Amino acid sequence: MSTARRSLGLWMLIALVIGNIIGSGVFVLPAALAPYGAASLLGWGISLGGALMLALVYARLAQIVPNHGGAYAYARRAFGDQVGFLAAWSYWVCVWSANAAIAVAFAGSLGSVWPAATATPLRGALCALGALWVCTSISLSGVREAGYTAIVTTSLKLVPLLVFGVLGLAWVHASAFHPFNPSGHPLVSVASSVAALTLWAFLGLETATVPTGVVRDPQRTVPRATVIGMTIAGVATMLACTVVVGMLPADVLHASAAPMAEAARRVWGNAAGIGIGVIATISCFGALNGWVLLQAQTTLAPALDGLFPKAFARLDKRGTPWFGLLTSSVLASALIVSNYSRTLVALFTFTILLSTAATLLPYLITVLAWWRIDSASSLLRRWIAIGALAFSVWALIGTGTETMLWGVVLLLAGLPIYVWQRRAVRQLPAP
């Protein structure tokens, strides 16, 4: 990759990591956590700790394996082409299905501010498709343009989110956290349930490791962006969600489709509630922009290595892998269109399930790859890897049988392409 095409610097990469982690979850997650009260902090701690350990593993691998492609590059280096393909295929499915989910979340957020935009399922689907293809157009205009968009949208959502979290502390009612564990379930069970709910709020921590071919000084920039971005996004998300739980009565919180906006409206008036709705819409658009950029880079590395069809390695004059970008957006669009008759909530739930099933396998493979590649690491790093491995296995089991079955189906769907590509390579004439 030429120096001219290395367009992403540290701040752009940090913005991409934060923007990809902070999407729609922070604005709706407090309602799901309402039954657990203050005990939800235990689950938050597990998820945040596990995500940070995974971020440190990715950061370390980015230093010692400079290859383009993130989890794919690490898996191929450690275990060969077959496992590398599985990681690349699974992560690619995760990315384009996540884009469908985020586009749907954008439509839902826009509908809370402008109800007419999503008054019918068809209108909601058209809003989601519009956002997806606007972001696709931004990525087609160049990596640097997408990077600048990430900085702007991340600033527009991160700053208000932090301000809301800090100011909201003054309106937190101690009674909202009594009893400490209103669910009555054992604390171990509560921690597991909450951690499972909050896990997907941290997906995207690996963002910086994927587009290393367009990053300036990647072996220094990628690890720093991964750890800094994950820490900022994790703390901001945990703070905002916990504050909302303490601001609203449990019955209101549990029934609200937009708990953060409801809390702002009750404390600071209708204008504040609308403002949070606008921020949520910007947040979803910013996350979508970052993930669309990621989908353009996800298929490039395996295509260059002959594991994906050669078309995915085609670059335009700006260095954008346009075929992979457009193919991914078409698949995400098809997912939206084929399910548009569902409600936005049902469609969002379905696509999140699909994306989560696809992303946990690359996480697990990455930790195992680190164990093989960096076998001479320090004792501290080994303990971090053990923690990340335990968290990945626990998270995979905790997603449930249905999610794991989806993961198996997705992997099997990719095997014909792998077999076709290997056959094509064997048929090439010897040099």
Side-chain angles (χ1 to χ4, degrees):
M1 187 72 66
S2 67
T3 303
R5 290 176 180 169
R6 293 188 182 273
S7 305
L8 299 180
L10 178 62
W11 289 108
M12 284 185 180
L13 210 55
I14 290 174
L16 280 173
V17 174
I18 295 174
N20 282 12
I21 293 175
I22 299 177
S24 60
V26 66
F27 299 96
V28 298
L29 200 54
L33 300 178
Y36 305 105
S40 64
L41 290 172
L42 297 175
W44 270 117
I46 293 173
S47 283
L48 182 58
L52 281 172
M53 286 187 287
L54 280 168
L56 289 170
V57 169
Y58 271 96
R60 175 59 180 166
L61 283 169
Q63 290 179 314
I64 59 181
V65 184
N67 304 59
H68 194 44
Y72 156 73
Y74 311 144
R76 185 168 181 260
R77 166 80 173 269
F79 304 112
D81 287 348
Q82 290 181 330
V83 178
F85 174 84
L86 289 177
W89 177 265
S90 186
Y91 192 69
W92 180 50
V93 173
C94 158
V95 172
W96 61 255
S97 58
N99 284 339
I102 299 169
V104 169
F106 168 84
S109 298
L110 182 63
S112 69
V113 180
W114 182 23
T118 57
T120 65
L122 178 60
R123 288 187 185 182
L126 290 175
C127 283
L129 291 172
L132 174 65
W133 285 98
V134 167
C135 290
T136 301
S137 299
I138 293 172
S139 286
L140 282 173
S141 66
V143 172
R144 194 166 186 82
E145 285 69 21
Y148 280 131
T149 303
I151 288 179
V152 172
T153 55
T154 297
S155 300
L156 288 175
K157 63 183 174 181
L158 179 62
V159 173
L161 191 63
L162 288 171
V163 170
F164 172 88
V166 173
L167 292 181
L169 288 171
W171 276 269
V172 169
H173 302 287
S175 59
F177 296 109
H178 294 288
F180 177 77
N181 180 17
S183 70
H185 298 304
L187 286 179
V188 173
S189 174
V190 169
S192 297
S193 299
V194 172
L197 287 170
T198 57
L199 170 64
W200 66 275
F202 295 120
L203 298 185
L205 60 92
E206 73 290 341
T207 294
T209 67
V210 178
T212 54
V214 290
V215 174
R216 292 193 296 270
D217 189 14
Q219 286 180 282
R220 175 177 169 84
T221 303
V222 170
R224 294 170 66 194
T226 298
V227 176
I228 293 172
M230 172 62 229
T231 302
I232 293 174
V235 171
T237 300
M238 184 175 176
L239 172 64
C241 288
T242 303
V243 164
V244 173
V245 171
M247 290 175 69
L248 291 176
D251 57 334
V252 174
L253 181 62
H254 187 68
S256 177
M260 189 174 293
E262 177 66 20
R265 184 188 66 78
R266 286 184 171 233
V267 173
W268 298 301
N270 288 331
I274 295 174
I276 291 295
V278 172
I279 292 169
T281 304
I282 294 171
S283 177
C284 291
F285 184 84
L288 184 60
N289 172 72
W291 281 97
V292 167
L293 171 63
L294 205 61
Q295 78 180 13
Q297 302 294 325
T298 298
T299 55
L300 178 58
L304 290 173
D305 292 332
L307 298 182
F308 271 36
K310 290 189 297 183
F312 286 94
R314 293 174 183 169
L315 304 178
D316 62 17
K317 62 182 180 180
R318 299 182 181 88
T320 302
W322 61 272
F323 183 85
L325 174 63
L326 293 178
T327 300
S328 302
S329 289
V330 167
L331 289 170
S333 299
L335 187 59
I336 294 171
V337 170
S338 63
N339 292 275
Y340 87 92
S341 60
R342 300 172 182 242
T343 64
L344 284 176
V345 173
L347 178 53
F348 181 73
T349 302
F350 173 76
T351 48
I352 280 294
L353 173 66
L354 187 61
S355 181
T356 302
T359 197
L360 286 171
L361 180 61
Y363 281 179
L364 182 59
I365 292 175
T366 296
V367 179
L368 294 174
W370 177 91
W371 200 265
R372 171 169 287 194
I373 294 171
D374 199 20
S375 58
S377 61
S378 67
L379 182 61
L380 175 59
R381 286 179 178 151
R382 282 181 171 275
W383 277 111
I384 290 173
I386 290 172
L389 180 63
F391 177 73
S392 300
V393 172
W394 171 84
L396 187 61
I397 295 173
T399 55
T401 304
E402 184 179 6
T403 300
M404 286 192 282
L405 287 176
W406 269 111
V408 172
V409 170
L410 291 170
L411 289 177
L412 292 176
L415 290 180
I417 294 179
Y418 176 76
V419 173
W420 177 274
Q421 286 301 114
R422 301 319 297 162
R423 182 179 299 174
V425 169
R426 285 197 298 269
Q427 291 175 352
L428 291 175

